[in-house]
Amino acid sequence: MRLAIEARLEEVKVLTLVGAGRGYVRRPFLYLGAAYGLGGAVIAAMAISALLLFLEEPLVRLFGSYGRDLETSGFDPIFHVVLLASGGALGVLGAIVASSQRLNRLT
């Protein structure tokens, strides 16, 4: 996020000189932070799915050796919603912190 802010620093300086408010300057970075957070959440869900696929067969054998059945189920839709919401929220929160720090140093 800080790299994105630094890459557009000249644009931010011009906007602040023209009189743009902090919210107007910060908004594109919040959108970018939300996109990063959602992307990270999707990658996390894919990694968890791959890990479960990798571990499912050995766990079935282990449980079978103890005379138990392992019942695996897919992800609950609520899990996906919470994962995406928390990823997006963390991305926006990171963007708020990064942009606030840079804007405070700018003025």
Side-chain angles (χ1 to χ4, degrees):
M1 198 76 254
R2 288 184 183 194
L3 288 175
I5 294 170
E6 292 297 326
R8 297 177 66 183
L9 188 59
E10 293 300 318
E11 180 183 345
V12 169
K13 287 179 181 178
V14 169
L15 285 172
T16 55
L17 287 175
V18 172
R22 293 174 72 85
Y24 184 80
V25 173
R26 188 182 299 169
R27 190 172 300 125
F29 301 116
L30 297 181
Y31 295 149
L32 185 62
Y36 283 163
L38 290 173
V42 168
I43 290 172
M46 291 170 42
I48 292 171
S49 295
L51 184 66
L52 289 176
L53 284 174
F54 180 70
L55 291 177
E56 183 179 9
E57 198 267 325
L59 285 175
V60 167
R61 280 191 281 127
L62 177 67
F63 274 62
S65 68
Y66 287 105
R68 298 280 192 152
D69 290 332
L70 177 66
E71 295 180 19
T72 58
S73 61
F75 289 130
D76 189 11
I78 294 173
F79 172 78
H80 284 296
V81 170
V82 169
L83 183 67
L84 290 174
S86 62
L90 285 173
V92 169
L93 182 65
I96 288 172
V97 170
S99 62
S100 293
Q101 287 177 350
R102 188 59 181 125
L103 287 174
N104 287 338
R105 283 187 283 150
L106 188 63
T107 57

